[in-house]
Amino acid sequence: MKAENMNRSYLETLSFSDLVKLADKYDVEIPDNLDRRFLIAELLELYEEEKFHGNESMIIAGADVLEKVENLPKNYNENEISCVLRNPAWLFVFWNLRESDSAMLKSLNSYTLMLRVCSLSSPDEQIPEEAFEIQAANDSQEQYVLIPQGKRFIKVELVYVTANSGKVLAFSPIIEIPQGNDIMNDLQPGKMQDFTEVIKLSGVDTVLMSQYKNHMHSFSNTK
C-alpha cells in the first residue's frame, strides 16, 4: 500500500460498521463500547506499526476513494461531543463541529469555546444541580476535565460565548461516575466507625492509625 493512501481523512469517511469490518480484517480487538475516534486511532497505530516493520500489505483504499465525498456517513459534519472516563477522577472530552458552525465561529471577531460540566441528581433530570465552565482551546477538539468530587451523573455541553451572546453547540450523553462505599469514603483517622467484624479483619483500623501518625498535619477536623 502507498503510505499516502492511509490517513485519518480517509478513515473519517467510513461508517462505523466499515471501520469495525476493517479492524476485524486485521485482528484488532474491539470492545463493545469503543468510540469511533478511538477505533480510528487504533487503525492508524496499527498501520504505523506495519509500516515500521516494512509490511505494506495493509491496503485500506486508493487515493481515488478519498474524492468520493458523496459516500460520507450520516453522522459526518454534525455537532457532537462525547465523554470517556479515564478514571473516576478524570473525564476525557472530545467534540466535532459541523462546517457551517466552524465557519461561523471563525467569522466572529472574538469568541470563547467553553465546556460546561453539569452535575445531575439522576440520569432522567434535565436541569443540573450544579454546573461550571472551563475554557477550551478554540483550535482543539479534545480536553481532559477533572470531575467534581462526590458527583454521580455528569454531562458536558459545548458552548461558545461572545461579548453579547452565547449558545450551546452540542451536549454529551450522561456519564455515570462509579461510586465507592459510603463508609469508606467518609473514613477519617481518629473518627470512630462501626466496622463489621469482617471489615476489621482487613486491618483498616491499623492502616488509618498509621496514616494519621505519619500525616497528622493533613487532618484538621479529626477528633
Side-chain angles (χ1 to χ4, degrees):
M1 181 192 103
K2 300 289 187 181
E4 62 269 23
N5 293 343
M6 173 57 178
N7 54 48
R8 183 178 295 274
S9 297
Y10 170 69
L11 292 180
E12 290 283 359
T13 69
L14 300 180
S15 66
F16 186 78
S17 60
D18 287 337
L19 289 171
V20 171
K21 291 177 182 177
L22 189 60
D24 286 340
K25 181 178 180 181
Y26 295 102
D27 298 324
V28 177
E29 294 186 5
I30 307 173
D32 293 337
N33 61 347
L34 185 65
D35 184 87
R36 172 187 175 85
R37 177 173 294 188
F38 286 98
L39 180 52
I40 290 174
E42 287 289 334
L43 288 169
L44 288 173
E45 182 177 349
L46 176 60
Y47 169 71
E48 291 299 327
E49 290 180 0
E50 293 286 322
K51 186 170 66 173
F52 177 79
H53 293 291
N55 184 356
E56 296 192 353
S57 63
M58 189 178 174
I59 301 175
I60 304 299
D64 57 324
V65 181
L66 298 177
E67 300 176 0
K68 296 182 179 180
V69 295
E70 67 274 14
N71 294 327
L72 294 177
K74 292 182 180 180
N75 64 348
Y76 184 78
N77 198 29
E78 293 183 357
N79 288 347
E80 294 180 323
I81 183 169
S82 298
C83 306
V84 176
L85 277 176
R86 179 184 182 186
N87 54 47
W90 287 93
L91 198 64
F92 179 64
V93 184
F94 53 98
W95 59 90
N96 180 69
L97 289 178
R98 65 169 63 99
E99 291 181 1
S100 58
D101 281 336
S102 181
M104 178 272 296
L105 292 175
K106 291 178 181 178
S107 70
L108 298 175
N109 292 329
S110 178
Y111 74 94
T112 303
L113 203 60
M114 308 290 289
L115 299 178
R116 180 181 296 152
V117 183
C118 304
S119 305
L120 307 171
S121 58
S122 77
D124 300 321
E125 289 292 331
Q126 299 297 320
I127 301 176
E129 290 182 314
E130 297 178 5
F132 67 91
E133 295 180 350
I134 58 176
Q135 185 173 345
N138 289 351
D139 57 350
S140 177
Q141 289 185 284
E142 57 191 41
Q143 186 160 322
Y144 280 103
V145 173
L146 182 63
I147 301 171
Q149 188 175 7
K151 304 304 180 182
R152 184 169 183 181
F153 299 100
I154 296 287
K155 72 174 181 179
V156 181
E157 298 175 347
L158 181 64
V159 183
Y160 82 87
V161 178
T162 66
N164 302 316
S165 65
K167 179 182 177 181
V168 176
L169 297 168
F171 54 88
S172 74
I174 295 174
I175 299 292
E176 183 174 1
I177 311 301
Q179 303 294 303
N181 182 277
D182 291 338
I183 295 177
M184 299 304 292
N185 288 337
D186 194 40
L187 285 180
Q188 295 184 30
K191 182 177 180 180
M192 298 300 296
Q193 295 284 354
D194 187 19
F195 295 121
T196 66
E197 294 301 318
V198 173
I199 293 179
K200 287 180 180 179
L201 290 175
S202 69
V204 65
D205 288 332
T206 303
V207 172
L208 288 174
M209 182 58 68
S210 175
Q211 175 75 2
Y212 181 67
K213 288 179 178 179
N214 295 321
H215 304 281
M216 191 180 303
H217 61 278
S218 302
F219 303 93
S220 58
N221 297 319
T222 54
K223 296 182 180 179

